[in-house]
Amino acid sequence: PLDGSYALKNDIDASLTATWNSGKGFKPIGTPEAPFTGEFDGRGFAVKGLTVKRPDENGVGLFGAASDGTLENLRLTMAAIQGTNQVGALAGGVYGYGLVRNCSAGGNVSGQDDVGGLIGSLSGRVEKSYALCSVAGHVNVGGLSGRVQGGFVSACFANGAVAGNMQVGGLVGYLIPVPRYYSDGCVSEPDWSSAEGGQAVACTASGRVEGIIDVGGLVGFNDRGTVKACYSMADVTGVGAVGGLVGSNP
């Protein structure tokens, strides 16, 4: 069940997944509509050679989507992941109170929007994790996570080749907190002064980052988010709004 507790007891050679489901590979665990809500402990073991080739699907990765659960102590190596939106080697999306801890990914990840080496879209929390991936997409593309919306990233790093068009970062493509809303009785307005999440703390990025606009060595577009005690050593190339640490920081 999607709310169960699971643990690995050894490494897994998943290279045969390239031949599964008429070439589509592994079917992700959970979907954006029915996410994984349980606990998964890799116990430090590795899944090698996972293939998920679903270019017409959203929520693509080992886990398609996880919400309010925990994914920890898992290594993915030589992964080949392809989807449309919300694409990451470990998870297409991690939402709610979802936690990713002590996880890593290596391989190739590609999609359209919200594409990351480890996690495509994050509103939960990821800590002490890293990605060593080649990542390609269009909008919101990051070495670790493509979009962090209200999420927290701490003590993480990414090293790889990241390429996209807009909002492309060595660690995170697009970083934004979630505001609280107040009402004057007629109209609800966002209160950004009390916004939550949208934080990258004690993180690093290296490798190569290429894009067109909003391209940063660490974060492509920082939309009122918090970047603290972070640095980047990535080579960054773009046309407009390009920065060694952050591309755009309005």
Side-chain angles (χ1 to χ4, degrees):
L2 292 173
D3 61 352
S5 295
Y6 306 91
L8 293 186
K9 65 178 182 179
N10 51 251
D11 293 335
I12 295 177
D13 183 351
S15 56
L16 287 179
T17 56
T19 66
W20 292 6
N21 297 310
S22 302
K24 289 185 176 182
F26 183 79
K27 182 179 180 180
I29 301 167
T31 67
E33 297 74 26
F36 178 80
T37 58
E39 298 180 355
F40 189 96
D41 188 350
R43 298 174 61 195
F45 293 113
V47 176
K48 178 182 178 182
L50 177 72
T51 294
V52 185
K53 190 175 182 180
R54 297 171 180 264
D56 299 322
E57 298 182 20
N58 297 330
V60 175
L62 174 61
F63 293 86
S67 179
D68 301 331
T70 301
L71 310 177
E72 60 183 346
N73 307 319
L74 178 63
R75 296 182 294 124
L76 294 170
T77 63
M78 300 177 66
I81 312 296
Q82 183 181 12
T84 302
N85 303 324
Q86 297 88 50
V87 185
L90 178 67
V94 175
Y95 308 111
Y97 293 99
L99 171 65
V100 173
R101 178 172 54 209
N102 296 328
C103 291
S104 65
N108 297 292
V109 181
S110 63
Q112 299 289 321
D113 300 345
D114 299 345
V115 184
L118 190 71
I119 300 164
S121 181
L122 173 73
S123 61
R125 182 181 296 268
V126 56
E127 57 188 39
K128 298 179 180 178
S129 298
Y130 65 90
L132 306 174
C133 294
S134 293
V135 185
H138 289 280
V139 180
N140 301 338
V141 185
L144 188 86
S145 179
R147 173 193 289 262
V148 176
Q149 185 164 2
F152 297 84
V153 182
S154 62
C156 293
F157 72 88
N159 182 1
V162 183
N165 293 333
M166 297 176 59
Q167 296 164 194
V168 185
L171 187 82
V172 174
Y174 181 63
L175 180 69
I176 184 173
V178 173
R180 295 177 183 271
Y181 281 81
Y182 70 92
S183 174
D184 63 3
C186 297
V187 179
S188 292
E189 297 288 345
D191 179 7
W192 290 100
S193 65
S194 61
E196 299 179 342
Q199 297 184 18
V201 179
C203 294
T204 64
S206 56
R208 186 175 69 254
V209 184
E210 299 179 356
I212 298 174
I213 189 169
D214 301 333
V215 188
L218 191 86
V219 177
F221 191 99
N222 179 24
D223 190 353
R224 304 181 180 89
T226 299
V227 177
K228 182 178 180 180
C230 296
Y231 69 89
S232 171
M233 298 183 293
D235 294 326
V236 185
T237 303
V239 177
V242 180
L245 189 71
V246 177
S248 288
N249 192 32

